[in-house]
Amino acid sequence: MYGWLWRALPGPLWLRVTTAVVLALLLVAVLFTAVFPAVAGILPTNDGTVG
């Protein structure tokens, strides 16, 4: 998958690296702003197992 993504990115090496970094940062931003808050209510984060 990563090989396919790398080959699909246009331009020279510096542009591919820049695009890959921007895409990774965009993915992290979407995860932290949309996905993680959406699933936070169904995760058992307050269930302590140490007694």
Side-chain angles (χ1 to χ4, degrees):
M1 180 177 142
Y2 297 113
W4 173 84
L5 179 63
W6 186 254
R7 287 188 301 273
L9 292 175
L13 179 63
W14 66 269
L15 184 60
R16 287 181 181 195
V17 170
T18 304
T19 306
V21 168
V22 168
L23 287 174
L25 291 175
L26 182 64
L27 177 65
V28 169
V30 167
L31 285 173
F32 274 106
T33 58
V35 177
F36 294 156
V39 299
I42 61 174
L43 294 176
T45 55
N46 292 334
D47 294 343
T49 57
V50 178

